[in-house]
Amino acid sequence: MAVEESLLVFKKSFVTHRHLISRRKATHSQSWKNQSSVTEFILLGFSRNPRTNWILFFLFLFLYLFTVLGNVLIVTLIRADARLHTPMYFFLSILSLLDLSYATTTVPQMLIHLASKSKTISYVGCVVQMYVFLTLGITETWIFAAMAYDRYVAICYPLHYGVKMSQTLCVLLAVSSALCGLTCALVYTVFAMNLPYCGPNEINHFFCEIPAVLKLACADTSLNDQVDFILGFILLLIPLSLILASYVRIFSAILKIRSTQGRIKAFSTCASHITVVTMFCIPCMVMYMRPGSEASPEDDKKLALFYSVVSAFLNPIIYSLRNKDVKRAFFKLVGMSEDTQ
């Protein structure tokens, strides 16, 4: 009898113990589920000082308005002046639209966060911003390569320029650049957002850029670092290699030009493109091709600011100040004669 009672007590205690373990597991599972389902992120931006934020607000507002005005003006001039309906200006108009979209993806939201206390962005909004930003950036790198090829054909094969750079080829290069951007940006975004995000949800950046977001992941990001490096190699070094190869041929052709004036004119058509490519691609390469562990949040913000805001702001200035055709089209648009110029 005593043995039976002991067995009964042991059985009850065993069942109770299993029940408690099951409840703890369920609670832990539910808790992990709640932690991993982040619904929004907080973008810390540049400073927590309200006075500094207002200074930055007016600075970035000026940069953004000038970026919009400059790039819209270039697109308008190219469409309005028939003399600018050439492959070179076709790609320049696409570049202006990309710069305009690039800045619009990040700056308006940054201005809102600088002017208000709320600095949140929804999970879906973060994903969309990340994807659109990457699509535009990747497309722009390949457009740079197409522009370099256009200059190569114009300088090395001037008599065959109209045949080699046909309208069909120009459209094909633009469309293929966009498709590459759409596809590769999707790979970047899917790999980044498939990771669990359990908190904290504070992104030390002014927009949702992949290197900054990955630092919040509750899992090993070494695979993402490898994917970023491989895609960075394909999407940055390959276009840059094509650009470099084009300019090696271009400079060798320029050196064969006998007149000094002819050399200067040929080189001036390339100088703007070289400057813009350098300003955009070098910071992007540093950002996306180094391991995430070596990244400094403050350095990342400066780099991102340079190729997403400053570059888009400077591009219209660089192309308009160094380009007589664009300046001539502008004076024509505002009603000034060539004698007045």
Side-chain angles (χ1 to χ4, degrees), residues 28-304:
H28 179 73
S29 176
Q30 185 66 30
S31 174
W32 182 89
K33 185 178 179 181
N34 289 338
Q35 287 180 353
S36 63
S37 56
V38 173
T39 58
E40 65 179 16
F41 294 102
I42 299 172
L43 295 168
L44 297 181
F46 295 97
S47 173
R48 295 181 183 273
N49 187 326
R51 185 176 179 180
T52 303
N53 284 340
W54 277 112
I55 294 173
L56 292 174
F57 173 84
F58 287 110
L59 174 63
F60 291 134
L61 179 62
F62 166 76
L63 290 175
Y64 180 65
L65 292 177
F66 193 93
T67 298
V68 173
L69 177 64
N71 285 290
V72 168
L73 181 60
I74 284 182
V75 174
T76 303
L77 292 175
I78 292 172
R79 289 184 61 88
D81 196 322
R83 288 176 294 185
L84 300 182
H85 293 175
T86 63
M88 174 183 171
Y89 293 106
F90 169 74
F91 290 120
L92 179 57
S93 64
I94 293 176
L95 180 65
S96 293
L97 290 173
L98 287 171
D99 284 337
L100 177 60
S101 304
Y102 214 55
T104 302
T105 305
T106 58
V107 178
Q109 181 195 61
M110 179 172 61
L111 293 174
I112 293 171
H113 288 174
L114 287 171
S116 65
K117 293 182 179 180
S118 176
K119 302 181 186 298
T120 60
I121 182 172
S122 68
Y123 182 91
V124 174
C126 186
V127 174
V128 171
Q129 185 183 58
M130 184 186 298
Y131 178 69
V132 172
F133 185 83
L134 284 168
T135 299
L136 295 170
I138 294 168
T139 303
E140 189 157 328
T141 59
W142 287 101
I143 289 295
F144 283 141
M147 294 174 78
Y149 177 72
D150 170 71
R151 291 298 83 208
Y152 160 70
V153 175
I155 293 173
C156 297
Y157 301 98
L159 299 178
H160 301 92
Y161 180 67
V163 177
K164 286 181 175 290
M165 292 302 297
S166 63
Q167 185 177 3
T168 303
L169 178 61
C170 293
V171 172
L172 183 62
L173 289 172
V175 171
S176 59
S177 299
L179 289 176
C180 181
L182 290 166
T183 305
C184 295
L186 184 63
V187 175
Y188 263 118
T189 307
V190 168
F191 267 88
M193 303 318 289
N194 263 346
L195 295 170
Y197 293 91
C198 323
N201 64 338
E202 293 183 341
I203 301 175
N204 193 1
H205 212 295
F206 61 92
F207 73 99
C208 288
E209 190 166 29
I210 282 185
V213 174
L214 286 179
K215 292 178 181 178
L216 303 183
C218 307
D220 182 22
T221 60
S222 57
L223 177 62
N224 294 77
D225 288 339
Q226 293 174 11
V227 171
D228 289 352
F229 180 82
I230 293 169
L231 285 178
F233 180 86
I234 295 171
L235 303 173
L236 285 171
L237 289 186
I238 291 180
L240 282 176
S241 299
L242 295 173
I243 292 169
L244 181 62
S246 297
Y247 277 109
V248 167
R249 298 291 300 273
I250 288 171
F251 290 144
S252 64
I254 290 175
L255 292 175
K256 293 177 183 178
I257 299 175
R258 294 182 179 179
S259 66
T260 305
Q261 187 177 0
R263 289 181 183 179
I264 294 172
K265 183 178 180 181
F267 181 75
S268 65
T269 62
C270 305
S272 300
H273 182 249
I274 294 172
T275 305
V276 169
V277 169
T278 304
M279 287 194 311
F280 181 83
C281 291
I282 300 302
C284 286
M285 193 182 302
V286 175
M287 175 72 80
Y288 284 93
M289 293 191 67
R290 66 182 175 184
S293 57
E294 297 181 7
S296 162
E298 297 307 315
D299 290 342
D300 284 354
K301 281 186 271 190
K302 292 173 185 175
L303 286 170

